[in-house]
Amino acid sequence: MATPTQTPGSESGIGPNETFPDNSTTSRYIWRPVPAEIELSIFERLTSLEEVWSLACTSQRFWRLFHTHGPRIIEAVLSNAQPYIRRIMHVIFNLRAGDRTPYTYEELQITDDYAPLRRDASEKVIREFVSLARKIHALAHVILDDCIDSFRGLADKLRPAAFDRDHPQLEHYLTKTWNTAEELRVIMGLWMCELHWMINYSAKHNMLPWTKALLDDLPPESRSVFDFFGQTWWGALVTIWTGLMAMKAPRDIRHRLYHSGELPQTFGLPRAPKGSFALGLRCDIQLPDYSNDNCQFREKYMLDVRMRQNPLMMNLFGGLRGIAPEEDELHYLPHEHYVRFGLLIWGNERLKAVGLLPVNYFDMERPFQCLRSLLADPVIAAIAGSQEQEKRLYWIEKRENRAQGIADSEPDDNSDFYESYGSESSSEATDSE
């Protein structure tokens, strides 16, 4: 069977001017002539863009059909995709296809309103978009693999902390791979990075006037990719950026960036590492079919909630729950030292099972001490030195407030605690183990 060859500088696997040889005996016997409507129907019944690309590469006839009806095929395949991801993919496709319709900030906050894909998209746009989707799936698996490997490296430190309490699922959650909601969280974050980078690139080069106006109207603190889509996605985006830096930055730069808290305003997606495209094809997790015929509304809704949730772990980084006791040398736990373990993308059920989240309200102090125990003494000393001034001022203000009869602020995570765990438990059946 004729197959495309990889051209220099091409990630898609075939160059824009390449064609398949028309003299393949094997190809003629495998694909006997059938009506084009049937061939198009085969494309539209596929469940992923990886499958679309594989089928397009099987013969010259399918390759032509893929380019002629690309928007229709992609739209049909995405109709079964996760709703939030589908929305952002539609926006990116149309922007790449030359759509100049202005979007407001609110419209980019990923809703269920889908603009149809532009039917006048060029062959190059169609081909590059499918290649982008394949690359994002590959990058997601590379990032998840690195996080899960680092997380498993914590096993010896987490086990002793669990001996004084029953944790029958500790071993299971230390060795299991990621679940569907966790994978979707990373894939969605990567598409967000791509959209945000496109908006900033267009504004910088005056390609779409509305992009510059949109960014200028935003307050400075909302222009960064880590804040543009709201706090719900902050943990996933920081994890993605850390994972991408691990792929391409020298060790000394990675060390400085990991531990300094420096985050860029925006960043594009790098070339996928060699061999990573196969990770998506060998994926053990079958992403759910979101069509109404194959998935009950409640199951779709609960998985959406789990993908978009702000994990309770976030309350231990930057919130009142993460403030250390006054007698502790630390002031708070810096997230930079924990991102590479995937703690900002794992679901609450996993983190609860290994002792990194409270099981009940009698257990609120334990996660802080458990996370603190993961840091080496020299690291703790260095962090404490950088936080010394901030800690001193915090407790001075707190004592002054108490003297004036002002009650201490309480962590505002009660509703998150119940709702997140309720969602996690009730939708456990939807997880792919």
Side-chain angles (χ1 to χ4, degrees):
M1 182 182 299
T3 56
T5 57
Q6 184 79 23
T7 58
S10 169
E11 292 186 12
S12 61
I14 190 166
N17 299 317
E18 287 186 90
T19 59
F20 288 86
D22 203 20
N23 57 354
S24 171
T25 303
T26 305
S27 179
R28 288 200 300 270
Y29 279 104
I30 290 178
W31 295 111
R32 296 183 182 279
V34 294
E37 292 78 6
I38 295 179
E39 295 177 335
L40 189 58
S41 176
I42 294 173
F43 266 114
E44 294 176 340
R45 291 176 181 272
L46 300 178
T47 59
S48 72
L49 294 182
E50 278 100 343
E51 293 178 356
V52 169
W53 183 259
S54 297
L55 181 59
C57 292
T58 56
S59 74
Q60 189 179 34
R61 191 165 61 254
F62 277 102
W63 184 249
R64 287 197 301 265
L65 196 68
F66 164 67
H67 285 90
T68 304
H69 300 283
R72 173 179 168 179
I73 293 169
I74 294 172
E75 194 168 284
V77 172
L78 294 184
S79 67
N80 294 331
Q82 203 282 340
Y84 298 112
I85 296 179
R86 176 187 174 191
R87 157 69 172 171
I88 201 169
M89 292 175 74
H90 274 231
V91 172
I92 290 176
F93 181 93
N94 286 336
L95 288 177
R96 283 172 164 260
D99 186 8
R100 302 185 68 85
T101 303
Y103 289 88
T104 65
Y105 179 71
E106 290 72 21
E107 289 173 335
L108 292 174
Q109 299 307 299
I110 318 307
T111 67
D112 292 332
D113 180 24
Y114 308 110
L117 300 186
R118 289 178 62 100
R119 293 302 193 259
D120 59 350
S122 67
E123 294 184 0
K124 183 174 184 290
V125 167
I126 295 169
R127 193 164 53 245
E128 288 182 348
F129 179 81
V130 174
S131 295
L132 173 64
R134 295 172 63 229
K135 180 174 77 170
I136 283 178
H137 198 178
L139 290 174
H141 279 264
V142 173
I143 293 170
L144 286 163
D145 278 342
D146 288 345
C147 286
I148 206 72
D149 288 344
S150 298
F151 182 71
R152 287 169 179 162
L154 296 176
D156 292 338
K157 295 184 178 181
L158 292 173
R159 286 194 183 95
F163 281 166
D164 63 338
R165 187 173 61 200
D166 184 22
H167 272 294
Q169 292 183 309
L170 176 64
E171 191 67 26
H172 168 70
Y173 278 98
L174 281 173
T175 57
K176 70 174 288 190
T177 186
W178 55 86
N179 61 36
T180 304
E182 292 163 347
E183 180 179 13
L184 288 174
R185 189 174 294 135
V186 176
I187 291 175
M188 181 64 175
L190 286 164
W191 281 107
M192 286 176 165
C193 293
E194 177 68 15
L195 176 59
H196 188 267
W197 182 85
M198 288 179 64
I199 291 173
N200 278 266
Y201 183 87
S202 175
K204 180 179 179 180
H205 297 278
N206 297 316
M207 298 172 65
L208 293 172
W210 65 266
T211 56
K212 187 176 188 306
L214 182 147
L215 294 176
D216 289 343
D217 290 342
L218 289 178
E221 62 273 12
S222 297
R223 295 174 188 173
S224 164
V225 63
F226 303 99
D227 302 300
F228 188 84
F229 297 100
Q231 281 296 105
T232 303
W233 294 101
W234 183 87
L237 294 170
V238 169
T239 303
I240 287 169
W241 179 78
T242 304
L244 296 181
M245 287 302 299
M247 296 179 197
K248 63 178 186 177
R251 180 180 296 274
D252 58 333
I253 294 187
R254 293 207 308 268
H255 179 81
R256 176 175 62 83
L257 292 172
Y258 287 175
H259 302 297
S260 67
E262 296 179 25
L263 295 174
Q265 281 291 106
T266 188
F267 57 90
L269 302 182
R271 182 183 293 270
K274 184 177 181 180
S276 60
F277 279 95
L279 295 176
L281 294 175
R282 293 200 301 266
C283 176
D284 292 332
I285 295 177
Q286 179 62 45
L287 295 184
D289 184 345
Y290 272 78
S291 63
N292 293 329
D293 296 335
N294 293 290
C295 192
Q296 295 298 319
F297 172 80
R298 175 172 172 78
E299 293 177 348
K300 291 192 292 182
Y301 173 76
M302 295 312 295
L303 190 54
D304 290 346
V305 168
R306 296 187 62 194
M307 185 191 76
R308 291 175 57 84
Q309 72 173 339
N310 187 5
L312 286 178
M313 177 61 68
M314 296 289 292
N315 292 329
L316 291 169
F317 300 110
L320 290 176
R321 186 65 66 194
I323 298 295
E326 186 174 7
E327 62 273 12
D328 197 301
E329 57 187 313
L330 291 180
H331 181 38
Y332 58 85
L333 295 170
H335 72 271
E336 295 88 349
H337 294 268
Y338 300 94
V339 175
R340 64 190 180 94
F341 301 113
L343 300 189
L344 298 179
I345 58 171
W346 301 141
N348 295 335
E349 192 70 19
R350 180 197 299 270
L351 296 172
K352 180 183 67 171
V354 300
L356 293 177
L357 280 181
V359 176
N360 52 54
Y361 283 106
F362 301 101
D363 189 38
M364 286 299 191
E365 301 301 326
R366 181 181 181 85
F368 179 91
Q369 297 301 330
C370 188
L371 285 167
R372 188 186 189 283
S373 69
L374 301 180
L375 300 175
D377 290 340
V379 175
I380 291 177
I383 296 172
S386 65
Q387 297 178 350
E388 182 178 3
Q389 177 74 358
E390 188 177 357
K391 181 181 179 72
R392 185 179 64 83
L393 294 176
Y394 174 85
W395 287 103
I396 289 176
E397 181 181 2
K398 201 172 187 68
R399 283 190 290 270
E400 291 176 349
N401 289 341
R402 289 173 179 172
Q404 298 174 19
I406 301 175
D408 292 343
S409 300
E410 291 294 328
D412 185 19
D413 58 4
N414 292 358
S415 59
D416 285 343
F417 186 89
Y418 283 117
E419 290 176 7
S420 294
Y421 280 126
S423 301
E424 198 86 27
S425 301
S426 63
S427 61
E428 185 67 24
T430 66
D431 258 353
S432 298
E433 298 295 342

